[in-house]
């Protein structure tokens, strides 16, 4: 299963490149008013499909066992949805005086506002042998929380650049995000046994729909002759994203391993991945709604499109190192107890 998940993610990365290339070759197909009618098929049907799919796949019935770790959950959610976006905002105040493309910088802020992903943090925590129950809880709870908090954060830090009125943004979020998610959870209660037996390809469905959203977003970009993305800005943003990832992983590690933190090594593993990972699956549809009609939407989306593979790549590379650290830390209490047992 882990190999299949890894292959799916690799093909999805290829799919992103192909979707952007296809949009470059023939943008007229996916623009608003074009043959695909993205103002209907993407803004409503595709987004609703992703969140209905999320509602079906979220195993909320398994989260009750993790509810007792309140301190752990508070740490992850506050870091993800408060500290992360605030720190990025402060950092961007310094970067605003540089020649980096301003819309890519705004895109960095949107990354900070995103909720945690449903899958990648859980998969990496499990690969290390960390607190998987805590990772599942915080990924699922963060996704639910992000439905409300993320749009508010986007409007707080960036303002609404959409041509759609504020009330319409939240009514569309409710109808295309909240309602399908709730319906998916209700349906899951009745067909849970069938879902466990058949294990439908939820990831593949969401990825396919997401590629369609990415394609139509870039169709709008390439059909606009006034938009220009310089290579310097793109390279710098790539470097910044990897630096942010590593810095925040190190920061969460330092905070969670202090003597008075109260966290176990397994908890620290879940904290490192859940606090620093951001959801592309939930993020792109939300950007599509909040920045509906904005000519620079695709540029704003670029940092999130880069952050997604970066977090998986860095996480996978660091799995052996984090695992060896966790095993060594878990052995220490046993080593200190052995002499006492011989007394």
């Amino acid at each position: 299963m882990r190999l299949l998940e890894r292959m799916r993610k690799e093909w999805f990365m290829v799919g992103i490149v192909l979707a952007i290339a296809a949009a470059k070759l023939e943008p007229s197909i996916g623009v608003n008013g074009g043959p695909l009618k993205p103002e209907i098929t993407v803004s409503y049907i595709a987004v609703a499909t992703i969140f209905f799919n999320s509602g079906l796949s979220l195993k909320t019935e398994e989260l009750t066992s993790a509810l007792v770790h309140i301190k752990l959950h508070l740490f992850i959610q506050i870091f993800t949805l408060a500290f992360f976006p605030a720190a990025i905002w402060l950092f961007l105040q310094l970067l605003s005086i540089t020649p980096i493309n301003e819309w890519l910088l705004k895109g960095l802020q949107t990354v900070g506002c995103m909720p945690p992903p449903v899958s990648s943090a859980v998969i990496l925590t499990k690969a290390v042998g960390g607190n998987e129950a805590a990772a599942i809880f915080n990924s699922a709870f963060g996704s639910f929380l992000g439905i409300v908090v993320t749009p508010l954060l986007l409007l707080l830090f960036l303002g609404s650049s959409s041509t759609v009125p504020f009330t319409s943004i939240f009514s569309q979020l409710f109808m295309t995000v909240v309602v399908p998610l709730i319906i998916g959870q209700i349906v899951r209660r009745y067909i849970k046994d069938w879902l466990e037996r058949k294990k439908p390809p939820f990831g593949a469905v969401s990825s396919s729909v997401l590629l369609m959203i990415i394609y139509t977003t870039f169709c709008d970009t390439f059909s606009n002759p006034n938009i220009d993305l310089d290579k310097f800005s793109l390279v710098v943003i790539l470097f910044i994203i990897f630096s942010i990832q590593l810095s925040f992983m190190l920061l969460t590690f330092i905070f969670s391993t202090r003597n008075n933190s109260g966290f176990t090594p397994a908890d620290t593993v879940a904290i490192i991945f859940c606090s620093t990972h951001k959801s592309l699956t939930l993020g792109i549809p939300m950007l599509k709604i909040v920045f509906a009609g904005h000519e620079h939407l695709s540029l704003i989306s670029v940092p999130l499109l880069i952050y997604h593979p970066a977090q998986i790549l860095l996480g996978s590379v660091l799995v052996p190192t984090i695992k060896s650290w966790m095993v060594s830390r878990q052995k220490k209490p046993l080593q200190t107890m052995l002499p006492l047992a011989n007394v």
Side-chain angles (χ1 to χ4, degrees), residues 241-242 245-246 249 273 309-319:
I241 284 172
F242 274 94
Q245 263 278 302
L246 284 170
M249 289 179 83
F273 291 124
Q311 67 190 9
I312 295 168
L313 176 63
L314 281 174
S316 301
V317 168
L318 291 172
V319 160

Side-chain angles (χ1 to χ4, degrees), residues 277-309:
H277 280 217
K278 295 293 183 176
S279 178
L280 179 70
T281 307
L282 304 181
I284 292 294
M286 285 188 183
L287 290 180
K288 193 79 176 176
I289 294 170
V290 176
F291 294 97
H294 197 288
E295 63 176 357
H296 293 100
L297 172 60
S298 61
L299 295 186
I300 294 172
S301 306
V302 165
L304 185 57
L305 292 173
I306 296 173
Y307 196 94
H308 177 74

Side-chain angles (χ1 to χ4, degrees), residues 28-222:
S28 61
I29 296 175
V31 296
N32 283 341
L36 281 182
K37 299 292 181 186
E39 62 273 19
I40 298 171
T41 57
V42 170
S43 297
Y44 293 94
I45 299 172
V47 174
T49 300
I50 283 179
F51 285 96
F52 173 74
N53 194 50
S54 295
L56 275 179
S57 59
L58 280 174
K59 298 180 180 180
T60 48
E61 66 274 7
E62 295 181 0
L63 304 182
T64 50
S65 61
L67 279 171
V68 292
H69 300 97
I70 296 174
K71 184 179 178 181
L72 175 63
H73 307 324
L74 280 174
F75 181 96
I76 291 173
Q77 298 304 326
I78 290 172
F79 191 97
T80 306
L81 295 171
F83 177 82
F84 202 127
I88 294 294
W89 182 82
L90 288 171
F91 182 48
L92 291 182
Q93 303 313 301
L94 298 174
L95 292 180
S96 62
I97 61 174
T98 67
I100 301 172
N101 186 290
E102 66 169 310
W103 300 107
L104 289 181
L105 292 180
K106 289 180 184 292
L108 274 179
Q109 184 65 69
T110 67
V111 171
C113 298
M114 291 302 149
V118 176
S119 60
S120 63
V122 175
I123 292 166
L124 290 168
T125 300
K126 186 176 182 179
V128 173
N131 191 337
E132 187 182 354
I136 292 171
F137 178 89
N138 282 283
S139 294
F141 181 68
S143 298
F144 281 118
L145 201 60
I147 291 169
V148 176
V149 177
T150 293
L152 291 173
L153 288 173
L154 289 172
L155 293 169
L156 173 67
F157 287 108
L158 298 172
S160 177
S161 299
S162 173
T163 55
V164 182
F166 180 84
T167 51
S168 296
I169 290 173
F170 276 91
S171 63
Q172 188 177 347
L173 278 169
F174 182 78
M175 293 305 298
T176 59
V177 175
V178 179
V179 172
L181 194 72
I182 292 172
I183 293 173
Q185 280 285 284
I186 293 170
V187 172
R188 179 179 173 80
R189 291 184 62 183
Y190 292 99
I191 62 170
K192 184 174 68 175
D193 293 337
W194 180 85
L195 291 172
E196 293 299 322
R197 285 199 315 273
K198 297 296 183 180
K199 299 188 184 302
F202 293 118
V205 172
S206 288
S207 296
S208 301
V209 177
L210 193 57
L211 287 174
M212 178 184 174
I213 296 174
I214 292 168
Y215 168 71
T216 56
T217 299
F218 277 86
C219 281
D220 284 335
T221 297
F222 294 128

